[in-house]
């Protein structure tokens, strides 16, 4: 149970990095082989938040990875929409 809680916090840190536009942290997560498609409780990913906040350099970086820009959140929105 503690490990699951830690993993959930880790995923939230990834999504928060998208909100903050923290490219360095997202690159670190990627180098550590963290799945960049992980989402928060609303189904929102690092890409959703980066897109919402206009963090273009982060979106460009995600395009160079295996990030899924078509993953929908709980409202049906994708990173592209």
């Amino acid at each position: 149970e503690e490990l699951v809680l830690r993993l959930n916090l880790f995923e939230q840190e990834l999504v928060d990095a998208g909100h903050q536009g923290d490219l360095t942290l997202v690159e670190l997560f990627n180098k550590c082989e963290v799945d960049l498609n992980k989402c928060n409780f609303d189904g929102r990913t690092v890409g959703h938040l980066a897109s919402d906040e206009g963090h273009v350099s982060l979106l460009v970086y995600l395009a160079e990875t295996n990030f899924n820009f078509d993953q929908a959140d709980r409202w049906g929105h994708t990173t592209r929409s």
Side-chain angles (χ1 to χ4, degrees):
E1 187 174 311
E2 183 178 333
L3 179 59
V4 171
L5 180 59
R6 286 184 185 176
L7 289 174
N8 288 341
L9 290 173
F10 193 62
E11 291 166 3
Q12 187 60 48
E13 287 294 320
L14 174 61
V15 174
D16 288 346
H19 182 262
Q20 298 297 322
D22 191 340
L23 178 56
T24 302
L25 185 55
V26 174
E27 288 173 329
L28 179 62
F29 281 133
N30 193 39
K31 286 179 185 174
C32 293
E33 298 183 5
V34 171
D35 181 1
L36 299 181
N37 293 299
K38 292 290 186 184
C39 59
N40 68 8
F41 55 91
D42 283 328
R44 307 209 70 210
T45 64
V46 61
H48 284 98
L49 278 289
S51 179
D52 286 352
E53 297 299 322
H55 298 302
V56 176
S57 60
L58 183 48
L59 294 168
V60 169
Y61 176 76
L62 291 174
E64 297 169 356
T65 69
N66 65 345
F67 183 76
N68 179 6
F69 285 88
D70 296 316
Q71 183 173 330
D73 63 15
R74 76 178 191 157
W75 298 281
H77 299 124
T78 68
T79 301
R80 300 178 196 272
S81 59

